[in-house]
Amino acid sequence: MSLLGRDLAMDLGGARTRIYVRGKGIVLDEPSAVTIDGRTGKVIGYGADATGDETCWPVSGGLPADGELTRRMVRHFLGKVHRRRPLARPRLVMALPDDSTPIERATLRDVAYEAEARQVRLIPHSLAAALGAGLPVRDYVGGMVIDIGRDSARIAVLSGGEAVATTAVPNGGRAVDRAIARLVEHEHGRTLDEREAEAAKHHAGADGNPSHRHVTVRARDPETGHEHDVRLPVERIREAAGPAIESIVWAAMETVQRCPAELTADLGERGAVLVGGGALLAGLAQRLRESLGMPVRRAERPLECVALGLGTCVDDLGLRARLRRHK
């Protein structure tokens, strides 16, 4: 390892941040969360230690929504990875949303440098996701990635190592979580916090046959404050998530329509891969298959695809140099 620090990849997601260390794999996987003391205004917890009503989520759509909190959180996470080398300054590879502006690109770089990175490389998000999902991104054939994150869904068609067509939808996993919480409130008169709703979404998509299955969540009685178990049929979760899913389906269809005919033909054979936390939602792949008329599969490790793809660029420096990068 360099005396200046390890080579790292960081997937800075709206829901979770994952750090990949060269030669070791993913070594950190924590919520992208910060808890602030409501009385003093001081930060009292990051990541897994961020709990309570004053918890903030400073990253949205893969970019800092609150630059200062994001910088402090990133610095905290890098410090955990370099706990035995407090002065280490790593080379860092990060994902950049395909539709980002030059200002957003500069902001992401600034956050990384202010968190003590000594060098920052930005890889297009769609390429990182495709690499992590095992797609042959450098081939001149069409491949499609549908990444459903916390705050948005990103659809990209790739060919020859670059994105040919991209679309972003402001409906991601959080919209589904809120729909599940509303379902519990309307049908059971209880409140469901965000983490319980997210867990219900993940459990509902645990296998490919959601029929006649239930998910149990812990919901709070608003009058007594007591928590109770509530059983939710997976089919009802799918119905509640319907509007968010349809917006993603329509965006995917529109993205395909903007592709050249030869790429559309490739997609008909190769299909699309689902990544991100929202990829776990029961019935999503089937709905996309029906609408797109192509194979749609969930990646083997959908939650970690972007981190793994960025890690590929860290492990293989030659590959990182050959991929199209944002300067």
Side-chain angles (χ1 to χ4, degrees), residues 8-12 18-20 92-96 121-125 127-132 304-316 319-320 323:
L8 308 177
M10 176 179 287
D11 172 19
L12 187 64
R18 297 177 176 88
I19 294 180
Y20 181 108
L92 192 58
V93 178
M94 303 180 74
L96 180 73
R121 296 292 186 186
L122 302 180
I123 303 296
H125 185 277
L127 281 175
L131 280 169
E304 301 171 341
C305 275
V306 174
L308 292 172
L310 294 173
T312 299
C313 299
V314 170
D315 285 339
D316 183 347
L319 173 62
R320 183 175 68 183
L323 287 175

Side-chain angles (χ1 to χ4, degrees), residues 175-213:
V176 175
D177 298 342
R178 288 172 172 170
I180 295 172
R182 287 194 297 269
L183 171 66
V184 172
E185 181 180 3
H186 292 162
E187 297 193 356
H188 300 274
R190 308 196 187 282
T191 58
L192 194 68
D193 68 30
E194 187 171 322
R195 295 194 183 191
E196 276 289 306
E198 183 180 18
K201 174 183 65 185
H202 290 175
H203 291 152
D207 62 46
N209 182 22
S211 300
H212 309 297
R213 292 181 55 247

